[in-house]
Amino acid sequence: MAEVVEFRVPAGSAQTLLVWGLEPEPGLEHSLFSAFSKFGPLYSVRAHRNAAVAGPGYYAIIKFYSAGDASRAQRACNGQRLFQKSPLKVCVCTKQKGFQQQVLALNSNKCQELANHYLGFNGWSSRIITLQNVSGFDGENEELGKTLQKRSVKYLCAVEVTLPNHGVRTRGIALCEADVENGEDPLEFVTASRRVQKLAVGKALSSAFQKILLIVLENGKVAVEYDSTLEDLTDSLTEEELKGLVQVSELSLEQFDLEEEEEVLSDLSFDDELPSREVLSN
């Protein structure tokens, strides 16, 4: 049976493992990552101290991108010692306290890690179509004809991702902004500009990956589909048209003023206590 893997923060309980019976040791999360990443790419590994009533020791929450990988890891590791003297208990989560329902985009670094795993380092490429300084397009730095001491710098970026082996090409656009506390300091302005440019490029790259669906087959091969439901105006424009939109103010900047990717907020919040047995599924 094929499974769809998206370039988004894993939000399914079937992708999440609970590991308990862990013994305290230096580098515990690293040991867990080394043991479980053999079954597939991991989004996160978090180790927590047991609640006082549960006795000494630790438990961990491990999130896979693929539910199939998580299932294989559970079957292979449950009851095994792995890197410690006593055997571990490994279960797939079915209910999660404080589970984050909002589906968030992966940041650009994790998108690239996922693409490298499933498509190979030479299976995809990206390039910047345009990176434009759009500071002041809305006149926000002018108030009653007076220039404010506090300035802001804003960049709009368009990135194209190409998967040559699958004939797929997608685009992503992002807008990033930062305040410059001392607008008269050239060094501070340049530093802020570079930071915003980097953020805009990263978010645009992440946006382009959102339109790609990875279809992982049982034999391990990967097919790719383009998610047409996320297609927008910019996907059908030529590069010249896309670059010219901002310059002639035909493109509304507000539509790209998206929330920051706060994928860390999607981590499970068990309040550092061992969950009750009802959240577990052997």
Side-chain angles (χ1 to χ4, degrees), residues 17-128:
L17 296 183
L18 172 63
V19 182
W20 81 97
L22 291 166
E23 301 169 357
E25 68 168 65
L28 179 57
E29 289 184 347
H30 176 75
S31 298
L32 287 165
F33 183 90
S34 298
F36 284 88
S37 61
K38 298 175 182 178
F39 301 92
L42 304 179
Y43 169 70
S44 65
V45 176
R46 298 287 185 268
H48 306 271
R49 187 186 301 275
N50 289 347
V53 295
Y58 287 75
Y59 70 94
I61 304 298
I62 299 176
K63 298 182 73 170
F64 285 82
Y65 291 102
S66 162
D69 291 344
S71 178
R72 284 190 293 273
Q74 189 275 328
R75 293 194 303 268
C77 298
N78 186 34
Q80 301 299 314
R81 292 181 174 82
L82 298 182
F83 50 82
Q84 63 179 35
K85 296 179 180 179
S86 60
L88 301 173
K89 291 289 292 183
V90 183
C91 296
V92 177
C93 293
T94 55
K95 294 182 181 179
Q96 297 159 335
K97 175 184 175 183
F99 185 72
Q100 178 72 32
Q101 295 294 336
Q102 184 182 4
V103 178
L104 300 173
L106 291 176
N107 65 33
S108 59
N109 289 334
K110 288 188 177 294
C111 283
Q112 293 176 77
E113 291 175 3
L114 202 59
N116 288 337
H117 177 83
Y118 284 108
L119 304 172
F121 290 96
N122 298 320
W124 67 278
S125 63
S126 65
R127 66 186 182 92
I128 298 174

Side-chain angles (χ1 to χ4, degrees), residues 7-9 104-112 126 159 161 170-174 199-212 230 258 261 263:
F7 288 89
R8 299 180 182 182
V9 175
L104 300 173
L106 291 176
N107 65 33
S108 59
N109 289 334
K110 288 188 177 294
C111 283
Q112 293 176 77
S126 65
V159 168
V161 171
T170 71
R171 288 175 178 173
I173 294 183
L199 287 173
V201 172
K203 290 190 70 173
L205 180 60
S206 172
S207 176
F209 272 115
Q210 302 312 300
K211 303 173 184 178
I212 297 174
L230 298 178
L258 305 176
E261 299 164 14
E263 56 195 50

